[in-house]
Amino acid sequence: MSLEINRLLKIYDEQKAVNKISFSVSPGEITGFLGPNGAGKSTTMKIITGYLKPTSGEVYVCGLSVAEQPVETKKKIGYLPEQNPLYYDMYVKEYLRFLAEIHKIPKPAHRVGEVIETVGLTPESRKKIGQLSKGYKQRVGLAAALIHDPEVLILDEPTSGLDPNQILEIREVIRQQGKNKTILFSTHILQEVEALCDRVIIIHKGTLVADDSLTSLKSRQSRTSELKVTFQEIPQPSVFQSFDDARAISPNVWIFKTHQPDITRRRIMELALKENLNILNWETGTTRTLEEIFRSLTRDADIQQASQ
């Protein structure tokens, strides 16, 4: 594992910002780190990167302890914090060259050119950072996180302030980097998670409420199934009037939404036999979105905590 978190606890006064959470992230895995505001995401990321000390618990980066080997672990991490710290009076290339030299990167000018191209900064690369739009400042922060070619990327709201076209471009950068790096990133844009992630971790009030693949999470949390049925013939609309939620999306293809897919499937087959309709194809899916799952899990966590 490139990233291991074991029973991580962070207490501020009497508040548990992070409450004994554990998870791991493997190389080549892009993991979405989700939670409402104040859930503990940024605190967790700051502990992983060594900017905060935990009250208790352990963090390992590429097998190294963050507590015992802070300098070595920082070399392996690229970090884009939520509040992107930049030197506004420095030029883009000057700032990235400065970081490359701190990391003792051979041929720093060449590496600066590579990351500028990677994050799409070329048109603005000769400007002072303070002259850039918020979106391009965010790109500078991402370039800074990538400059030393780290094994692990910790990205806190990486698409914050970007317009739709820029979001797509940065999304592609993250996707390409995820092929050979471990990436943990937080976002409030759930479409980003569905577009990029195979896995989702959700925390709420410092407590882990979900850690699963996106596919499995949707499957387990789904309450409404969708049956898509293709008939050889064209059914009369009156055939399916007894169903609560059925509609035709083309003359011979119908969608049935149901909480009881097995029973609904049996009813459709019985009606098809009665009406001499031949079924060519069945497709089963879920109609529950990640947003609905997110709301449900955090709401259930609130109810559970209130009952304790």
Side-chain angles (χ1 to χ4, degrees), residues 215-240:
T215 302
S216 178
L217 187 65
K218 283 187 172 183
S219 176
R220 287 191 300 104
Q221 293 291 325
S222 177
R223 290 182 293 197
T224 303
S225 292
E226 188 175 86
L227 302 177
K228 181 180 177 182
V229 187
T230 303
F231 299 95
Q232 184 174 337
E233 300 79 15
I234 298 176
Q236 293 296 318
S238 59
V239 171
F240 303 118

Side-chain angles (χ1 to χ4, degrees), residues 239-300:
V239 171
F240 303 118
Q241 62 184 2
S242 62
F243 289 82
D244 293 333
D245 194 344
R247 72 184 194 279
I249 60 173
S250 70
N252 66 323
V253 180
W254 281 69
I255 296 289
F256 301 84
K257 290 186 179 180
T258 176
H259 296 289
Q260 298 175 305
D262 291 339
I263 294 174
T264 301
R265 185 188 292 263
R266 186 163 58 247
R267 287 180 60 200
I268 294 169
M269 292 177 69
E270 289 171 352
L271 272 174
L273 184 62
K274 180 180 177 181
E275 299 293 331
N276 294 317
L277 298 172
N278 294 293
I279 296 174
L280 299 179
N281 188 46
W282 292 91
E283 291 182 35
T284 304
T286 176
T287 59
R288 204 169 188 208
T289 65
L290 181 59
E291 182 179 354
E292 291 170 330
I293 294 169
F294 177 85
R295 287 203 305 266
S296 174
L297 287 169
T298 53
R299 184 176 61 245
D300 290 348

Side-chain angles (χ1 to χ4, degrees), residues 9-18 54-55:
L9 174 69
K10 180 63 179 179
I11 300 176
Y12 295 106
D13 296 325
E14 296 181 357
Q15 179 187 0
K16 290 182 180 179
V18 180
T55 304

Side-chain angles (χ1 to χ4, degrees), residues 132-185:
L132 302 178
S133 67
K134 184 177 180 181
Y136 274 109
K137 286 173 183 171
Q138 197 73 353
R139 290 176 188 236
V140 175
L142 184 55
L146 291 171
I147 191 71
H148 56 300
D149 195 22
E151 295 177 50
V152 177
L153 277 178
I154 307 295
L155 308 176
D156 198 351
E157 301 286 345
T159 56
S160 174
L162 305 185
D163 65 37
N165 288 332
Q166 291 172 330
I167 287 174
L168 290 174
E169 292 168 3
I170 296 302
R171 182 187 297 172
E172 184 58 29
V173 172
I174 295 172
R175 183 180 287 112
Q176 292 300 320
Q177 293 297 317
K179 291 179 179 179
N180 52 26
K181 298 184 189 303
T182 300
I183 299 181
L184 180 71
F185 82 97

Side-chain angles (χ1 to χ4, degrees), residues 7-209:
R7 296 185 62 78
L8 197 63
L9 174 69
K10 180 63 179 179
I11 300 176
Y12 295 106
D13 296 325
E14 296 181 357
Q15 179 187 0
K16 290 182 180 179
V18 180
N19 189 10
K20 296 183 179 179
I21 66 172
S22 300
F23 62 88
S24 60
V25 188
S26 302
E29 191 171 52
I30 303 177
T31 300
F33 194 40
L34 308 181
N37 287 332
K41 303 185 302 297
S42 293
T43 297
T44 301
M45 289 180 155
K46 288 176 182 176
I47 293 172
I48 291 171
T49 53
Y51 286 87
L52 276 180
K53 289 186 177 181
T55 304
S56 64
E58 299 172 313
V59 179
Y60 294 93
V61 176
C62 301
L64 303 175
S65 168
V66 171
E68 296 176 5
Q69 296 167 283
V71 175
E72 291 304 312
T73 52
K74 282 185 173 68
K75 291 178 181 179
K76 295 181 178 295
I77 295 174
Y79 179 38
L80 175 61
E82 184 179 11
Q83 301 298 326
N84 189 2
L86 299 169
Y87 293 108
Y88 282 11
D89 288 333
M90 296 183 75
Y91 290 91
V92 172
K93 286 186 175 181
E94 178 188 17
Y95 173 63
L96 294 176
R97 175 71 180 255
F98 166 66
L99 294 178
E101 290 175 351
I102 287 177
H103 285 288
K104 298 180 181 179
I105 295 172
K107 300 180 181 179
H110 177 72
R111 180 58 185 162
V112 167
E114 284 182 337
V115 295
I116 282 175
E117 184 176 351
T118 296
V119 303
L121 265 172
T122 304
E124 307 292 311
S125 62
R126 297 183 182 277
K127 290 184 178 179
K128 281 189 176 181
I129 295 172
Q131 296 174 321
L132 302 178
S133 67
K134 184 177 180 181
Y136 274 109
K137 286 173 183 171
Q138 197 73 353
R139 290 176 188 236
V140 175
L142 184 55
L146 291 171
I147 191 71
H148 56 300
D149 195 22
E151 295 177 50
V152 177
L153 277 178
I154 307 295
L155 308 176
D156 198 351
E157 301 286 345
T159 56
S160 174
L162 305 185
D163 65 37
N165 288 332
Q166 291 172 330
I167 287 174
L168 290 174
E169 292 168 3
I170 296 302
R171 182 187 297 172
E172 184 58 29
V173 172
I174 295 172
R175 183 180 287 112
Q176 292 300 320
Q177 293 297 317
K179 291 179 179 179
N180 52 26
K181 298 184 189 303
T182 300
I183 299 181
L184 180 71
F185 82 97
S186 72
T187 180
H188 287 104
I189 305 172
L190 297 183
Q191 295 94 324
E192 290 291 290
V193 177
E194 295 192 277
L196 281 172
C197 298
D198 294 319
R199 176 156 163 239
V200 177
I201 295 170
I202 302 177
I203 64 170
H204 182 52
K205 294 183 179 178
T207 301
L208 197 72
V209 297

Side-chain angles (χ1 to χ4, degrees), residues 209 299-308:
V209 297
R299 184 176 61 245
D300 290 348
D302 281 333
I303 293 171
Q304 185 177 357
Q305 288 178 10
S307 65
Q308 293 175 348

